[in-house]
Amino acid sequence: MNVLEIIQRATNAIGIPEPSAAVASTDNGIIQLVELFNQAGRSLASRFAWKSITREGSFGTVATESQGSLTTIIGASHSLRYIVNDTIWNRETKLPICGPVSSRTWQGYKALDVTGPYTEYRILGNELLFYPAPTAGQACWFEYVDKMWLTNAAATTWYASANADTDLVLLDDELL
C-alpha cells in the first residue's frame, strides 16, 4: 500500500475529507496526518527486526583493526539500525566474526594483547572494528536491520520518511 492510500484510509476513519494528495498537501490537517504517519512508521521500524527491512551487507576486509565506516560498508542509500547478532561470517575462512563484544571485553583485549581463536568485532562510533586485524581481501557477509521503512514505487530508493504519495510502505500497513 502506498502513502496516499494509507492517509486516505485514515481520513475516512476519522471523518475528514479524503485528500487527492498527501505529502505535498498544504492543508494543515493532512500535513499533521503525514507527520503522524512518519512518526508511527519510524517507531514501528525501531521496535522489531521486520523481515522487510532486514538486509544483507558485505565487504572485503582490510588488514587493519578498522574495517571502515558502517555508512560506507552498507552504502549511502541505507541507514543501519543494527547488525543482527551472530551473522557476520568470513566466507573465505568459513569462520564467524564473533560479537559485538562489550566495551569492557574490547578494552581488556587491547590492554592485555590477547587474541582468541576467532576474530571479534565491536562498533565504535560509526566504525566496524575487528580484533585481531584480519588478512586483507577476505569476503565478509552479514545481516542488518535498516532504518528505511519506505521505498519509492520502483523499489530503487529507500526512505525513513515519506517523500511522495506513491512511496510504498515496507512494514505491515494495517499497523500504520
Side-chain angles (χ1 to χ4, degrees), residues 1 24 69 100 111 140 165:
M1 189 169 281
S69 79
C140 289
D165 288 344

Side-chain angles (χ1 to χ4, degrees), residues 70 80 82-85 87-88 121 123 128 142-144:
L70 290 165
L80 179 94
Y82 61 88
I83 292 175
V84 178
N85 288 347
T87 65
I88 301 180
Y121 80 92
I123 297 170
L128 179 62
F142 62 98
E143 291 185 7
Y144 67 96

Side-chain angles (χ1 to χ4, degrees), residues 3-160:
V3 173
L4 179 59
E5 291 168 332
I6 292 173
I7 297 297
Q8 287 173 335
R9 285 180 64 191
T11 58
N12 291 333
I14 60 176
I16 63 174
E18 183 178 284
S20 58
V23 174
S25 177
T26 56
D27 179 284
N28 286 336
I30 302 304
I31 292 169
Q32 184 178 23
L33 279 176
V34 171
E35 180 54 30
L36 290 170
F37 167 82
N38 284 324
Q39 288 178 18
R42 287 190 298 267
S43 177
L44 282 171
S46 71
R47 293 178 188 209
F48 184 73
W50 303 98
K51 301 267 186 248
S52 58
I53 59 173
T54 299
R55 311 213 184 289
E56 187 175 54
S58 66
F59 61 96
T61 59
V62 292
T64 62
E65 182 177 280
S66 175
Q67 298 305 298
S69 79
L70 290 165
T71 305
T72 302
I73 290 170
I74 66 168
S77 64
H78 293 282
S79 184
L80 179 94
R81 186 168 304 285
Y82 61 88
I83 292 175
V84 178
N85 288 347
D86 303 321
T87 65
I88 301 180
W89 278 78
N90 184 321
R91 292 194 179 172
E92 307 297 323
T93 65
K94 313 294 188 225
L95 294 172
I97 308 299
C98 300
V101 298
S102 69
S103 302
R104 181 177 188 210
T105 299
W106 187 262
Q107 293 305 320
Y109 288 162
K110 303 295 282 182
L112 300 172
D113 197 26
V114 177
T115 60
Y118 299 109
T119 301
E120 296 186 80
Y121 80 92
R122 173 164 171 68
I123 297 170
L124 195 57
N126 190 37
E127 268 189 291
L128 179 62
L129 306 176
F130 277 14
Y131 188 81
T135 303
Q138 296 178 334
C140 289
W141 290 76
F142 62 98
E143 291 185 7
Y144 67 96
V145 176
D146 202 342
K147 290 181 182 177
M148 307 300 192
W149 58 276
L150 295 155
T151 185
N152 65 349
T156 56
T157 307
W158 295 267
Y159 308 109

